[in-house]
Structures are given as structure tokens and as C-alpha cells.
Amino acid sequence: MSLTLPPLPFALDALAPWLSREALSLHHGRHHAGYVETTVKLVRGTPLESAPLERIVRMSAVDPDRRLFHASAQAWNHEFFWNSLKPGGGGEPRGLLADRIRDSFGSHASFCEAFIKAATAHFGSGWAWLVLDGGALRVETTANADSFADSPHRALLTLDLWEHSYYPDYQNRRLEYVAAYLSHLVNWEFAARNLEKGAPASACAATSSSPARTPASARRS
């Protein structure tokens, strides 16, 4: 089985004081690791045993038994989340990404307002995303394990809104956590690389003949 827990792209104390060593250790070493371990157990002995994680998410999204989807999508979301963070991050992006944000939201400040509003208004556990939808950028949220791994839209960034991601440092103050992400943690270089990739090839094929599909949660609701 090739699926293993990927290491964090930074040291455990590299995001302090915005995210503490304790919070990252619990989040990565227990929560993320648990999703990877469950995924490995559920695909063992099946045709998906050697499949890449994203394919596992896509294939399990249509399975009535939600266990594999929940575990694999959470594993994918967490890996994407770690790459959405960087020491000394935050602030404003540059280049094409900055232009796209201005085109789509009017200004960087307006983007931040939209992201904060969506992330703080989202009820319960889930994720806040910046996504590329055709030629425009949008802010979206998904519930629980639902993911843009199974969507034709290209995810550029995500923020984990599950309480375990911020409670050790912020308790119930989600607004402060979201603001810290935008001001001090967000990895704009990662977002810019995702923007350069454009829409996934499979999405291009799908959108040429049918409407773009949304993440699994929206399709089931």
C-alpha cells in the first residue's frame, strides 16, 4: 500500500504563535493520521489498494457506504490544508493571482471580507475554499468531509473549520482563527501554483458536454 501520512511541510513550531506546536501535533499526528489509517484499512484487498488518494476520493464519492469517502476525503483535505499554510504567510498575493482576485472580488480587502463571512457563517464542521470556477475565483464552504477533490473546479486554498483545528489555540473564537490565517498563515505561492494548473483535465472534458458538478455534499443535499 503506497498511501502513508505525508509529513508537514514545516516544523511543528513554525506557525507559532498563530497555530501552536500542540495544536499541530494533535491535528496532524492524530486526526490526519487517523484518516489515513482508516483509508488504508478500507482499501486493503480492493482494486483501490494501490490507487492515488485523489482517485480513491473520486471513486468512493458515489458509494452509498460513506466510510471510505469520509476517511479518504478528509485525508485529501488535510494534505491540501497543510500546503495552504506557510511560516510568514498571509498578506496579499502578487502577479496573476492578485489580478484574478481583483477581477473576481473587486479588491483583496473584499476577498478577505467574503472569505471571513463564509468561514464564520458556516454552521458546524467543514472547510472554507478559494476555488477557480471557469475564469473566475469564488469562495465556497463544504460540510464535514466534503471536498473539491471530486469537483471539476480547481481548489486553490482551503481552511479547516473543524473545531479540532483551532480549539487548542482559539477555543470558540473562529473569527480570530480565520483572520490569523489570512493575515499570517495563508500560502499564496501554493494558491498561485494551483491557479497556473487551471481546471483539471477531467473537468475540462466534463464541462464541455454537461454542467459543472459541485462537491459531493451539495449533490446529496
Side-chain angles (χ1 to χ4, degrees):
M1 178 65 197
S2 59
L3 183 60
T4 58
L5 177 68
L8 288 172
F10 37 73
L12 281 173
D13 57 358
L15 303 183
W18 317 111
L19 286 175
S20 66
R21 182 185 184 91
E22 176 192 10
L24 288 179
S25 179
L26 290 170
H27 196 171
H28 178 258
R30 294 190 185 180
H31 291 279
H32 188 180
Y35 292 125
V36 172
E37 290 168 5
T38 300
T39 300
V40 170
K41 291 177 182 177
L42 291 174
V43 299
R44 186 174 292 132
T46 76
L48 291 175
E49 183 169 6
S50 299
L53 180 59
E54 187 166 318
R55 176 170 172 75
I56 296 172
V57 177
R58 289 176 179 271
M59 296 299 291
S60 63
V62 296
D63 189 340
D65 183 348
R66 307 306 297 162
R67 292 178 299 162
L68 178 56
F69 175 77
H70 289 157
S72 62
Q74 281 290 75
W76 190 93
N77 287 355
H78 277 85
E79 184 172 354
F80 199 88
F81 173 54
W82 302 132
N83 284 290
S84 297
L85 307 173
K86 63 172 285 187
E92 298 189 24
R94 299 179 181 178
L96 177 61
L97 179 56
D99 294 339
R100 288 293 185 92
I101 286 177
R102 283 193 295 270
D103 291 343
S104 299
F105 298 96
S107 67
H108 181 76
S110 295
F111 155 71
C112 290
E113 290 175 8
F115 194 93
I116 289 171
K117 181 179 180 179
T120 55
H122 181 81
F123 180 76
S125 300
W127 302 83
W129 307 82
L130 176 63
V131 301
L132 175 65
D133 178 3
L137 303 185
R138 296 188 292 110
V139 171
E140 293 287 336
T141 62
T142 57
N144 301 317
D146 286 296
S147 173
F148 276 88
D150 71 319
S151 168
H153 306 317
R154 171 72 66 182
L156 306 187
L157 291 168
T158 195
L159 176 62
D160 192 338
L161 300 180
W162 287 66
E163 279 195 345
H164 64 245
S165 68
Y166 61 90
Y167 210 85
D169 295 320
Y170 296 92
Q171 288 80 51
N172 64 337
R173 303 188 305 276
R174 184 188 282 185
L175 174 59
E176 292 182 25
Y177 165 66
V178 178
Y181 170 76
L182 293 171
S183 297
H184 304 287
L185 297 173
V186 65
N187 186 348
W188 288 119
E189 289 81 4
F190 176 65
R193 292 194 297 272
N194 289 322
L195 178 62
E196 289 171 1
K197 296 175 184 176
S202 59
C204 294
T207 55
S208 66
S209 59
S210 60
R213 59 191 179 88
T214 53
S217 61
R219 299 199 303 275
R220 293 193 300 273
S221 59

